[in-house]
Amino acid sequence: MSERAARPDARRLKSIVGGSAGNLVEWYDWYVYSAFALYFAKSFFPPASQTAQLLNSAAVFALGFLMRPVGGWLMGRYADRRGRRAALSLSVLLMCAGSLLIAVTPSHAAIGVAAPLLLVFARLLQGLSVGGEYGASATYLSEMAGRQLRGFYSSFQYVTLIGGQLIALGVLLVLQRTLSVDALEQWGWRIPFAIGGALAVAALWLRRGLDETTSFEVARAEQAASPTAARAPVRELLGYRREIATVVGLTAGGTVAFYTFTTYAQKFLANTAGFSKAAATEISALTLLLFMLAQPLVGYLSDRVGRRPVLMTFGVLGTLGTVPLLTALGAARSEGRAFVLLMAALLAVSGYTAINAVVKAELFPTSIRALGVALPYAVAVSVFGGTAEYLALWAKSIGHEHWFYWYVTACIAASLAVYATMPETQATSRIVED
């Protein structure tokens, strides 16, 4: 008996830890952009008001999301054909290239319009990477986890996703305390992108040692036994139209809420509530830490009570509470009050973030699972998540910030309707047991 067969629990734990660590580096690289936008916006865009410069940087952030469906399609197909491990390695290579390009791009004052164009190219490259990363990592963690604790183990995708964002904020806090504002705006903002490029190389080395999943190996063996069977992944995926619609529907409200209360929250606290940049960063970092720790608890809860009740709890709380909560957060004048309000929002959002990966993975068969998870999710995130920050800043710029509050509410309410009518995926899971 092989060591792999004799020690399945040790192998599973090692693979989940390894896959999660690489995921953390990927998302650190992605979120550094948002964390440092307050400082590098002046370097890439012409002089203007703070809101206008943030609006430009948010537009580039949204453009990066346009590549996520392309990444989800290409990398999803690659993961279903070559393996989850191979796709995870390729995605981190692309992320590394994007981070290093941003780190070395000269300012607008030095090279003019070429600066924002290079920034856009780097973000498109990173969007391609992260579009494939989600599907590959969600599929890998869900397939590696056993049935009894699949919600718990797969929640570590968002533990590391949030962890990447948290580390990005941590780097920002350190630099805020060691560099002046002028130094950060002139050159200090380049440091975290250089760090991200170096960490991506380490993640590539780590991922090369991961085991492949049993589900993929079984599917590959079946394909080898029938080599003449033609494969048309996209055509096969279109045979699961209800599942595709479910992924899009359950993602829409969740991704808008996630980006509103994580990436945009830091700017909201500074630009609307009036907190200093340092205070906004500290509040965001502390709430994100607790948010990260909540993910495995909610994932474990879904293993006990099912996925739908957890999703519906988020949907109800988000539909009823978003407008009053954002209104109160915008009027908050103490850091303690802002922390409590933002923490309440993130705990509600945990009902989506902790289990959305496993829910999507459980919907599709192995042969198209990575593609089925990645492509419709990437489309939904591009349309809803990638534009959330831009729409929020646009609504503020025209003097109707509350419009955005109602927009978030409407998106969550639409997803709630999906949660109420979708099947309980824990009971109907298509993931092969090892």
Side-chain angles (χ1 to χ4, degrees):
M1 180 178 294
S2 68
E3 180 182 358
R4 177 174 177 173
R7 300 178 60 193
D9 292 336
R11 175 184 62 81
R12 175 178 293 131
L13 183 60
K14 177 183 177 182
S15 298
I16 289 172
V17 170
S20 297
N23 195 51
L24 183 145
V25 173
E26 278 267 336
W27 290 102
Y28 164 82
D29 282 342
W30 179 253
Y31 283 118
V32 154
Y33 180 97
S34 181
F36 281 83
L38 287 167
Y39 295 101
F40 71 67
K42 292 181 179 180
S43 294
F44 287 100
F45 304 104
S49 69
Q50 177 174 270
T51 297
Q53 288 180 331
L54 287 175
L55 195 59
N56 285 328
S57 64
V60 176
F61 186 80
L63 283 174
F65 278 78
L66 293 179
M67 288 301 288
R68 290 183 68 162
V70 179
W73 172 56
L74 292 175
M75 303 283 278
R77 292 189 63 181
Y78 187 73
D80 286 330
R81 178 170 297 182
R82 300 295 182 183
R84 318 316 189 195
R85 182 179 58 186
L88 290 172
S89 296
L90 179 58
S91 71
V92 83
L93 271 176
L94 294 172
M95 184 62 73
C96 176
S99 291
L100 291 178
L101 179 57
I102 295 175
V104 301
T105 297
S107 67
H108 181 274
I111 61 173
V113 71
L117 290 177
L118 285 172
L119 178 66
V120 168
F121 176 74
R123 286 302 284 180
L124 292 179
L125 195 62
Q126 290 186 320
L128 182 66
S129 168
V130 83
E133 170 69 21
Y134 178 88
S137 62
T139 300
Y140 185 81
L141 293 177
S142 297
E143 289 179 350
M144 272 296 178
R147 176 180 291 274
Q148 296 302 316
L149 292 175
R150 185 168 288 137
F152 172 77
Y153 281 123
S154 65
S155 73
F156 281 88
Q157 186 194 34
Y158 260 79
V159 170
T160 51
L161 189 154
I162 299 164
Q165 186 173 2
L166 189 59
I167 293 174
L169 285 176
V171 172
L172 176 57
L173 285 171
V174 170
L175 293 179
Q176 284 175 332
R177 293 180 182 277
T178 56
L179 297 176
S180 67
V181 172
D182 286 341
L184 271 171
E185 291 179 346
Q186 290 175 15
W187 58 270
W189 61 265
R190 298 181 186 274
I191 295 174
F193 290 101
I195 292 173
L199 289 176
V201 174
L204 176 62
W205 174 82
L206 184 65
R207 283 182 163 178
R208 288 172 64 87
L210 294 179
D211 286 333
E212 189 52 85
T213 69
T214 298
S215 293
F216 178 76
E217 289 184 340
V218 169
R220 180 165 54 186
E222 292 174 350
Q223 179 68 19
S226 303
T228 58
R231 286 204 59 197
V234 174
R235 183 179 301 175
E236 184 179 355
L237 178 62
L238 291 177
Y240 294 86
R241 289 183 175 83
R242 179 177 179 181
E243 288 79 2
I244 293 171
T246 298
V247 171
V248 173
L250 73 88
T251 299
T255 192
V256 168
F258 175 74
Y259 282 101
T260 296
F261 293 112
T262 58
T263 58
Y264 178 61
Q266 178 198 16
K267 301 175 185 63
F268 183 83
L269 290 171
N271 208 30
T272 296
F275 290 96
S276 67
K277 293 177 182 179
T281 303
E282 290 171 358
I283 295 168
S284 295
L286 184 56
T287 54
L288 281 173
L289 175 61
L290 298 178
F291 182 42
M292 178 181 70
L293 296 176
Q295 302 309 296
L297 299 177
V298 177
Y300 181 78
L301 178 64
S302 78
D303 288 325
R304 305 277 75 80
V305 304
R307 320 296 187 210
R308 285 180 65 245
V310 175
L311 287 170
M312 289 185 66
T313 298
F314 155 68
V316 171
L317 292 175
T319 300
L320 298 178
T322 295
V323 171
L325 193 146
L326 282 174
T327 301
L329 187 61
R333 295 297 175 262
S334 72
E335 293 183 19
R337 180 174 175 78
F339 166 79
V340 170
L341 290 169
L342 187 55
M343 194 68 250
L346 289 174
L347 288 176
V349 175
S350 294
Y352 163 79
T353 55
I355 65 170
N356 78 95
V358 69
V359 168
K360 294 160 188 170
E362 288 175 330
L363 289 170
F364 298 97
T366 305
S367 60
I368 55 166
R369 181 169 295 129
L371 180 63
V373 171
L375 182 55
Y377 168 81
V379 170
V381 169
S382 296
V383 172
F384 298 100
T387 59
E389 187 173 300
Y390 183 86
L391 289 174
L393 289 166
W394 173 79
K396 179 176 178 60
S397 71
I398 63 172
H400 294 285
E401 192 167 19
H402 278 73
W403 288 2
F404 178 71
Y405 305 171
W406 286 105
Y407 168 75
V408 177
T409 298
C411 290
I412 297 175
S415 286
L416 176 58
V418 175
Y419 306 151
T421 56
M422 65 183 285
E424 174 51 70
T425 61
Q426 186 182 29
T428 60
S429 175
R430 290 188 166 103
I431 297 177
V432 173
E433 293 299 313
D434 55 7

